[in-house]
Amino acid sequence: MSHDEMQDYWKTLCSFTGEDIPNEVNQLMAKIRYPRFLYKYRAVNNNNLDALRSNKLFFSKASSYDDPFDTFLHIDVEKIRQEFDSNYRSPEALAALANGMKETFQNQPGIPQEFIQQVANVEGLKQLFANGITNQFLSYVLTLRSKIQDEILSICLSENGFNETLWLKYADMHKGFCLMYDPYDENSFHCGKLKKCENCGVYKGGARIYPVYYSNTPHDATNFAKFVMGQDMIQQLQVPLPDFMQAELKPIPWEVERNSLIKKECHKYDEEWRLIANCKMNLPAMIEWVPAGVIIGLRTSQVDTNLIISMAKEAGIKKIYKSIIDEKNRLNAYLLTEV
């Protein structure tokens, strides 16, 4: 996709409100121009060889990626500070908060009575604010970045199978292999076509492939951070939030995609695409997608080459290529064997 096409795609994604998701999906898909193949770089090890043999691609959490800036979101802490202060500065607001805390916690076993007594009356809340609870709260807000990353499951691919940096980084310095996937071949996707798919989150929720957008302007995830905060509070406290808080902490459609599909400009060389799960799943979670081919690295040993070829044939992969440096000093490949 050209620079202009990528910008149009990103602006379209950021404009969605979730009011008509099927129509928004169609709009977004119309903006995407899929490459002929997508590629996955692999080192040679037992897990990757088994995944090759069984046509499996595993989802990962954004928090586990090697780049700590991955999922390039921004949480406006100062904005949250101002909202926090303004919402609970007046006596009326403090009274409403105290009543909400009382309704939430008074009949909940396991909640210390000292805590309930403090948060369920105005004077107790005033004391908490005087003791610096705002700064403690904002420190907690900053931890939401990793919690948001934990919410996102994706599979990373590249549109370039001859990216020298990716061969070095993810294919063990050209000693591994690179899998080729055909996004136009529906028969190569096993997901949704097997009996075991009936209870799979990918089958139920879906998973689409999107290009990654590169920018030095991060996505503002402040409102999504509030929603994640609410979910985390419910999980930690094991009680529903007061009604007045739930109204402010609603889920935001498309926010998982917007957070996952932006990376810093310096990573543009990755030419990355991502398959994003549309539901929560326990790891390990995976899809089954038969590669159209496999490219063996420049420095892959003969022993490992034989293993890759054996696993590829068992997986039903039709074409096996060997990397070369061509006459123009470019990384390239030739067809080694066709199954």
Side-chain angles (χ1 to χ4, degrees), residues 124-142:
L125 288 173
K126 285 182 178 179
Q127 186 63 44
L128 285 174
F129 283 104
N131 291 340
I133 192 174
T134 300
N135 289 333
Q136 295 177 36
F137 173 71
L138 293 175
S139 296
Y140 161 72
V141 166
L142 289 176

Side-chain angles (χ1 to χ4, degrees), residues 83-103:
E83 290 180 359
F84 194 80
D85 288 342
S86 63
N87 286 344
Y88 304 120
R89 186 176 295 142
S90 69
E92 294 80 9
L94 281 173
L97 178 60
N99 288 334
M101 294 295 100
K102 183 177 181 179
E103 292 175 7

Side-chain angles (χ1 to χ4, degrees), residues 190-205:
H190 286 176
C191 291
K193 301 173 183 177
L194 307 173
K195 179 66 176 177
K196 63 182 179 181
C197 297
E198 292 178 357
N199 296 318
C200 175
V202 175
Y203 175 66
K204 291 180 177 180

